[in-house]
Amino acid sequence: MHLQPIIAPSILAADFTKLGDQIKICADNGITWIHCDIMDGHFVPNISYGPMIVEAARKAYPAGFMDVHLMIYNPDQYTDAFVKAGADLISVHVEATPHLHRSVQNIKNKGIQAGVAVNPATPVQQVVPILSDIDLVVLMSVNPGFGGQKFIDTTYERIHELVEIRQKRKLNFRIEIDGGVGPDNISALYKAGADTFVAGSSIFGANNIPLRIQELKSLLHSGTT
Ligand code: DX5
Ligand code: ZN
């Protein structure tokens, strides 16, 4: 089973002095998902932004799908605020909450989609009990905290593991790859079975953003043939 591929630009790498314009460029070039990285300076060694920026992104792209990745402890405490800000999907880290099932239900009870993110050194097996309840697994392909890091190659084995479980159990959660994704690996990742691709620096760091988006799209297209 191959789900329709989705590119989710991470605004962490955007130019915040013109965030709205950069999001509109994405929308004008067929991007439907916007990835928002929330960092608390505790779970990860960096602080990014909170619900206000998600709300701004939502305003810039009312029809967009706001994919919110919480790299924070106590995610339950903030679910409401991100839902109000316009999140369509919220992912929590398996390593950041002691009651993963409750955290996922808190999100689903708000009527939006839920995801679970997994760090590179966390066994994929840890999310198996929750897979039938969620819409997305965020497979971290870098250690979370910063954009622009090098892709970790063992991610491929982890994609295979998840794809096998998904097939066996006839589930349909998306597999999102987050970190170090760009023209060099997007098509290999799609072939390996991933379907949702976060791209921060490879999109917003490009000289020509529309051209880079088209390039990533055509690489995904060639991956299907
Ligand atoms: C890492 C974040 C990523 C990051 C991706 O902690 O979760 O979403 O912004 O950035 P790039 O694509 O630059 O690796
Ligand atoms: Zn992310």
Side-chain angles (χ1 to χ4, degrees):
M1 178 187 64
H2 243 124
L3 297 169
Q4 267 300 103
I6 289 173
I7 299 170
S10 164
I11 56 172
L12 189 66
D15 179 345
F16 278 75
T17 63
K18 41 185 176 188
L19 182 61
D21 292 345
Q22 296 214 322
I23 290 174
K24 281 182 188 120
I25 293 175
C26 291
D28 290 345
N29 285 276
I31 291 293
T32 54
W33 282 35
I34 299 294
H35 186 82
C36 302
D37 285 309
I38 315 301
M39 304 178 182
D40 66 352
H42 293 276
F43 177 63
V44 290
N46 193 12
I47 298 174
S48 60
Y49 53 81
M52 278 168 67
I53 295 286
V54 175
E55 199 180 333
R58 155 66 66 219
K59 267 191 198 141
Y61 192 3
F65 186 92
M66 296 299 143
D67 170 28
V68 176
H69 176 196
L70 297 185
M71 286 163 272
I72 65 174
Y73 284 123
N74 300 321
D76 303 6
Q77 202 177 322
Y78 300 95
T79 305
D80 259 356
F82 285 102
V83 171
K84 281 199 187 102
D88 292 291
L89 182 151
I90 295 178
S91 296
V92 294
H93 266 265
V94 61
E95 305 87 357
T97 172
H99 306 290
L100 185 60
H101 187 271
R102 178 181 292 146
S103 300
V104 164
Q105 291 315 316
N106 278 344
I107 298 167
K108 302 229 64 148
N109 287 343
K110 300 285 169 193
I112 66 164
Q113 296 187 27
V116 172
V118 195
N119 280 341
T122 301
V124 160
Q125 288 301 323
Q126 280 204 22
V127 299
V128 168
I130 199 82
L131 288 176
S132 54
D133 295 291
I134 60 177
D135 303 283
L136 175 98
V137 173
V138 187
L139 215 42
M140 293 308 302
S141 40
V142 297
N143 289 297
F146 303 94
Q149 302 182 80
K150 192 181 173 299
F151 178 87
I152 298 171
D153 277 322
T154 47
T155 306
Y156 286 101
E157 297 154 31
R158 293 155 67 72
I159 296 173
H160 293 141
E161 228 179 303
L162 268 180
V163 167
E164 205 179 305
I165 299 167
R166 185 169 67 180
Q167 274 166 357
K168 231 184 241 162
R169 295 185 42 197
K170 296 189 170 46
L171 297 172
N172 55 8
F173 57 86
R174 285 189 162 271
I175 301 175
E176 178 175 71
I177 308 301
D178 190 2
V181 175
D184 293 345
N185 56 13
I186 198 164
S187 122
L189 289 165
Y190 186 43
K191 277 185 196 137
D195 43 66
T196 311
F197 306 94
V198 176
S201 41
S202 68
I203 288 184
F204 293 109
N207 287 331
N208 186 324
I209 295 175
L211 214 62
R212 176 52 54 82
I213 292 172
Q214 291 319 319
E215 184 187 1
L216 293 174
K217 276 195 192 167
S218 62
L219 285 163
L220 285 172
H221 184 69
S222 62
T224 59
T225 53

